[in-house]
Amino acid sequence: LDVRPGRVTSPLSGGRTVELTLDPVVQRVAERTMRKYRVPEAGVVAIEPKTGRLIAYASHKSDGEQFDVNLRAEAPAASVFKIVTSAALVEKAGLTHRTEQCYRGGKSAISADELREDAERDKWCATLGIALGRSLNVVFGRLAQKHLTPEDLTQMGGAFGFGTKVPFVIDSEASLIDVPDDPLEFARTAAGFWNTTMSPLEAALIAQTVANGGVTLKPRIVRSVSSGKETLWTAPDEPIVLRRAI
C-alpha cells in the first residue's frame, strides 16, 4: 500500500493503479499501533456501516510465514457469537432485551451444574440486554437451552454469514459453525465457547450488520482504477446489499 496524506493506492499489473477506500489516517494508526506494541499476529478491519466501504484494512505478523490475517477464519468467534445467539433469542424465541434470567457462576466457563435452575443458589439476575453487554456466559447458556435448538442457532449463524466465505475482492476462508446436539456443549457454543471460528473481515461485517439495522452490505475496498491520468473504472456510489440478516 502507498499511504499518502490524501489517499491510499496500490499498483496493479500493466502500469495501472488502484485507489482504495481506506482512510489514510485510520490506516496509518492501525498499522503503527500493531508495530508499536509488537503484536505477534493481528488484523484490523474498520468499515462504514451505511456504505460497506472499508476505512482500515491492516494485517500484521511479527515473524514466520507472512499471510493476510484478515482473511484467515481460524480464530475462535468467542463472545462475538453472543450476537448470533442474542438475535436468535429475539427473532426465533420472541425474547426482548428486558427478558430476565437468574444465574450463578459461568464467569470463565460453564459447567452442567451451573445450567440447572436453583432459586436458592441463583443469587444474581440479568436481562438479556445486560447479559450481552457484560458477556454473561451462563445466562446465554441457560436461555439457549430453554428457548433454542441447534438448528435455530445454525440458521441464525448462517444469516450472519457463518459457514460461507465473505464476498470480497480477495478470496477469504469460510468461517466455521458446527453446533453440537449435546445439551451442555450446545449451551457452551451459544455462549461463544468453541465450535465457531471467524476472520477479522467477517467480524467487521457482523458489526456492520448490527449498526446498519440488520442489513448486511458487501464490503468494498476499491474506489477506482486508473492508468496514468485516465480513469478506467469507478465504483458505484450505491451500496451493494448482500442480505437482511435480522
Side-chain angles (χ1 to χ4, degrees):
L1 297 181
D2 184 7
V3 184
R4 302 196 176 191
R7 63 178 189 160
V8 180
T9 62
S10 184
L12 295 176
S13 60
R16 298 170 299 158
T17 301
V18 59
E19 182 178 354
L20 304 176
T21 61
L22 305 180
D23 182 299
V25 175
V26 182
Q27 182 68 21
R28 278 196 299 268
V29 169
E31 294 175 353
R32 188 186 309 127
T33 300
M34 290 189 289
R35 288 196 305 268
K36 177 181 177 181
Y37 293 101
R38 299 177 182 177
V39 179
E41 180 180 314
V44 175
V45 181
I47 188 169
E48 286 183 343
K50 298 297 181 184
T51 67
R53 294 191 187 101
L54 298 184
I55 59 173
Y57 188 92
S59 173
H60 179 85
K61 199 165 181 297
S62 295
D63 51 36
E65 177 197 359
Q66 296 299 305
F67 56 83
D68 190 340
V69 176
N70 291 326
L71 303 177
R72 291 279 185 102
E74 59 188 11
S79 285
V80 174
F81 197 75
K82 287 186 174 75
I83 294 174
V84 175
T85 304
S86 297
L89 289 169
V90 170
E91 302 218 339
K92 292 183 177 293
L95 276 57
T96 75
H97 67 285
R98 294 189 180 91
T99 300
E100 192 172 74
Q101 172 65 53
C102 296
Y103 68 99
R104 64 184 182 278
K107 199 166 188 179
S108 58
I110 299 177
S111 67
D113 177 69
E114 290 168 339
L115 292 170
R116 286 190 283 270
E117 306 274 350
D118 189 328
E120 292 186 359
R121 292 196 292 164
D122 293 341
K123 297 182 178 180
W124 302 283
C125 297
T127 63
L128 176 57
I130 289 174
L132 181 58
R134 294 176 57 192
S135 195
L136 299 176
N137 298 312
V138 73
V139 171
F140 279 90
R142 286 195 185 188
L143 290 176
Q145 277 195 342
K146 289 196 290 186
H147 301 285
L148 299 175
T149 66
E151 291 74 21
D152 291 332
L153 210 52
T154 300
Q155 289 174 6
M156 187 56 70
F160 275 96
F162 277 90
T164 60
K165 294 182 178 182
V166 175
F168 193 49
V169 292
I170 313 169
D171 190 38
S172 63
E173 291 182 353
S175 56
L176 168 72
I177 180 167
D178 183 16
V179 182
D181 292 321
D182 177 78
L184 176 58
E185 295 308 315
F186 169 65
R188 287 170 170 169
T189 301
F193 292 97
W194 313 303
N195 302 313
T196 55
T197 66
M198 68 192 315
S199 65
L201 179 60
E202 182 164 0
L205 212 58
I206 289 175
Q208 178 272 322
T209 299
V210 175
N212 198 38
V215 176
T216 306
L217 302 179
K218 184 177 181 179
R220 298 191 289 174
I221 195 171
V222 177
R223 188 184 302 278
S224 64
V225 178
S226 61
S227 178
K229 294 184 178 180
E230 179 186 4
T231 300
L232 304 176
W233 181 84
T234 302
D237 291 330
E238 298 78 18
I240 301 172
V241 176
L242 293 178
R243 59 186 172 269
R244 171 166 282 284
I246 50 174

